[in-house]
Amino acid sequence: MSLAFAFDDGLTTRWSAAVDAHKRHAHAQWPREAGGLILADGSYAPLRNIAGEPLTEFETDPAEVEAVSGHRYLAVLHSHCSVEEPATGKVTPPPDCPSGADMEAQMATAVPWGISLCLSTGCADPFWFGDQVPRPPLLGRPFRHGVNDCYSLGRDWHREVAGIEIPDVVRDPDWWQPRDGQPQLDLYRDGFERAGFRRVERGPEGPLPGDCFLCRVRSPVLNHGGIYIGGGLILHHLAHQLSGRDPASVWRSKLDFLVRHTDLPDDWRPPA
């Protein structure tokens, strides 16, 4: 099995000079989030962060983006910053995944986005996300919400194995947790039909290859899914674990219901 923790999407190496310039910029701006563009010539162009909450948000001025790049750029970089309290020495690590706003902005630009995690002592190389970024193998990928999670694994499996494109969904970390004064989100239940899936019922013979299960993991709503790949196995990706295969029987008691993409006939079988 090819292990994804050794996977290199190649973007940090390709744009190493720009990444280094971004890390210097982001470190100098800490604890404010900072970012910029990788231009067509591979250079880094820093941008002002005009967000109302710059310690936790990154927003650019469209006029500045136009002036700097003419809207012709290869990628976007920005930082997520730690919160450090000198009086107590307490350090809250930076969020290690994109926010829903990050995902939405990346989809709008349709170029790779990189996020570097930044402390007072310096910034790490970015992690990259977006459909323009090379994807790791289906098995053995490390978990990062919004980048490599159960939904992204399902998208990648359908694209790579079944030849079916599924839209991405903007989602914040822990979106399934209730929030005071806000409606409860139920993204899987509310969204599976819009993503092209229908609910299916199976008899005693069990699921068919390509059936997807939806369930709850310590959540009031559906927040986990996977794919039955045949041979009594499911493919899925739990938080804090590598993506992998498990016996379907282990998850039968947790199952809420099965769905299947409308473009995948019941007699479909995975390529040999």
Side-chain angles (χ1 to χ4, degrees), residues 24-42:
R24 292 192 295 270
H25 173 219
H27 185 207
Q29 291 293 310
W30 181 92
R32 296 166 55 97
E33 291 193 5
L37 307 174
I38 299 181
L39 302 180
D41 63 359

Side-chain angles (χ1 to χ4, degrees), residues 136-172:
L138 296 175
L139 293 175
R141 53 176 66 176
F143 189 91
R144 191 187 301 276
H145 189 270
V147 182
N148 295 321
D149 56 20
C150 64
Y151 186 76
S152 61
L153 182 67
R155 288 189 74 217
D156 291 345
W157 182 91
H158 278 84
R159 181 189 305 114
E160 295 177 21
V161 179
I164 296 171
E165 292 289 338
I166 295 173
D168 206 353
V169 175
V170 170
R171 53 199 185 275
D172 279 309

Side-chain angles (χ1 to χ4, degrees), residues 46-91:
L47 298 172
R48 293 178 299 117
N49 183 359
I50 64 170
E53 300 291 341
L55 299 184
T56 57
E57 298 174 357
F58 176 68
E59 181 181 353
T60 59
D61 180 350
E64 184 182 14
V65 172
E66 170 67 25
V68 167
S69 69
H71 287 297
R72 292 185 296 274
Y73 51 88
L74 302 178
V76 177
L77 287 163
H78 85 281
S79 60
H80 281 180
C81 295
S82 62
V83 176
E84 304 183 14
E85 301 175 9
T88 63
K90 180 182 178 182
V91 177

Side-chain angles (χ1 to χ4, degrees), residues 101-139:
D102 293 333
M103 295 185 71
E104 185 173 25
Q106 187 283 317
M107 292 177 194
T109 61
V111 298
W113 275 48
I115 295 179
S116 58
L117 306 184
C118 198
L119 309 177
S120 61
T121 53
C123 296
D125 285 344
F127 65 82
W128 298 91
F129 65 100
D131 282 350
Q132 299 74 26
V133 177
R135 299 297 294 148
L138 296 175
L139 293 175

